[in-house]
Amino acid sequence: MSLANLTSDPNLALAMSIAKSTGELLLDRPSDLGIQTKSTATDVVTLMDQRAEAFIVGELTKHRPEDAILGEEGANKPGSSGMQWVIDPIDGTVNYLHKVPHWCVSIGLKDENSGQALAGVVYVPILDQMYISSRGLGAWVIEPSGTRKLQVSECNELSQALMGTGFGYASSRRASQARVLQQVLPKVADIRRLGSCAVDLCLVAEGVLDGYYERGVNAWDHAAGELIAREAGAVSSGLFGNQIGEDMIVVTTPAIHAELIAILETHNADKD
Ligand code: LIP
């Protein structure tokens, strides 16, 4: 499957162009980021999250007026086409705030009837990396040094796996995630908490991380990245036969998935 097949998908081309422009908007940081808090004192939102979401919604509405839109900062527009854009203007807001480079613009497209992901773009502005995928057509990254097809790592032993994860914003959730981490950490090569679910999923897709799990992430965090990881060969699921969702997302190389799931299920990692 070639990159040309992928970029000839008009939905993907639109998402790529909007993500790139949103990235440019976000790189132009004002001195006052207008920080506010959401669910807890550590769950921050900046005026740039809001500006970026308004820009994405405006562009999607202009080009795809019939499509529904769901966004992290409150966008919730019904549509009539059966297609829904699921957007996170900044995934990794805390990183954006602290100038840690792992933050991105995430734009996913799904079929509202089947719930299936159709296309996904994760754009990391600081590194000018555009991760893209369209259902059935593979996953790629376009970056300043060229273009690469993405393939998960060959990791086939959990004990050798570099595992990504993340933590929620509520302290009760974090206490539970720490309890689960105590069980996972001794059984993997090491853990990374990089601060953006969407970027973590792209790092699984390119074989930098061997897997990623997290409880509590929202649809906009993984709408694009999960498709990109699966199209690069990752296996993705929730626990106890459930689909991925807020309870749990587990995305790894094929060979280590069952073992990680077993540990997470044994320790009820989908509960607080
Ligand atoms: C964040 C995630 C991060 C996760 C946080 C949060 P935000 O999204 O991507 O990996 O650990 O709980 O959901 O708030 O930066 O868009």
Side-chain angles (χ1 to χ4, degrees):
M1 217 53 82
S2 76
L3 180 65
N5 287 338
L6 200 65
T7 49
S8 65
D9 171 350
N11 289 322
L12 187 70
L14 175 65
M16 287 168 69
S17 141
I18 295 174
K20 178 93 179 169
S21 302
T22 310
E24 282 159 12
L25 180 158
L26 290 168
L27 287 172
D28 188 14
R29 292 165 64 105
S31 50
D32 180 359
L33 285 174
I35 302 160
Q36 294 175 299
T37 56
K38 297 195 286 185
S39 61
T40 71
T42 52
D43 184 5
V44 290
V45 58
T46 72
L47 66 83
M48 295 306 277
D49 294 76
Q50 291 156 345
R51 266 187 209 164
E53 180 155 305
F55 173 76
I56 299 170
V57 170
E59 288 299 298
L60 288 174
T61 304
K62 185 162 73 187
H63 295 280
R64 296 288 189 277
E66 327 251 280
D67 294 356
I69 305 173
L70 177 71
E72 173 169 22
E73 308 311 336
N76 195 354
K77 173 181 167 290
S80 55
S81 62
M83 306 280 218
Q84 183 188 47
W85 297 91
V86 184
I87 63 174
D88 193 341
I90 308 179
D91 185 47
T93 299
V94 174
N95 284 346
Y96 181 74
L97 189 60
H98 288 264
K99 300 190 178 170
V100 179
H102 283 80
W103 55 270
C104 66
V105 180
S106 174
I107 302 180
L109 178 65
K110 76 170 198 184
D111 179 322
E112 285 190 291
N113 297 318
S114 66
Q116 287 185 336
L118 302 174
V121 170
V122 172
Y123 180 56
V124 184
I126 300 266
L127 304 173
D128 193 15
Q129 286 181 309
M130 178 86 70
Y131 294 89
I132 59 172
S133 182
S134 243
R135 187 175 184 75
L137 295 179
W140 301 73
V141 60
I142 302 167
E143 56 193 355
S145 59
T147 299
R148 286 179 290 130
K149 189 167 184 356
L150 299 175
Q151 180 64 46
V152 294
S153 80
E154 292 178 359
C155 179
N156 56 13
E157 279 182 51
L158 191 61
S159 62
Q160 298 302 310
L162 187 60
M163 190 63 61
T165 192
F167 309 123
Y169 291 118
S171 58
S172 56
R173 169 66 51 81
R174 288 179 175 189
S176 155
Q177 287 168 321
R179 169 184 65 78
V180 174
L181 187 63
Q182 268 193 314
Q183 304 300 323
V184 175
L185 185 53
K187 299 190 179 70
V188 296
D190 210 341
I191 289 282
R192 293 291 179 271
R193 195 291 195 246
L194 298 171
S196 163
C197 164
V199 176
D200 284 350
L201 288 165
C202 292
L203 294 180
V204 174
E206 72 175 299
V208 172
L209 294 177
D210 303 304
Y212 162 78
Y213 77 91
E214 185 166 349
R215 167 160 165 74
V217 287
N218 292 291
W220 44 78
D221 296 316
H222 58 68
E226 193 259 352
L227 175 68
I228 292 167
R230 264 193 296 114
E231 287 288 334
V235 175
S236 164
S237 77
L239 300 189
F240 303 105
N242 292 316
Q243 294 190 334
I244 62 164
E246 268 191 69
D247 284 347
M248 180 57 70
I249 177 170
V250 185
V251 180
T252 70
T253 64
I256 64 172
H257 194 257
E259 197 181 344
L260 179 61
I261 290 277
I263 296 166
L264 295 172
E265 287 182 352
T266 301
H267 299 284
N268 292 314
D270 58 345
K271 314 249 170 353
D272 288 340

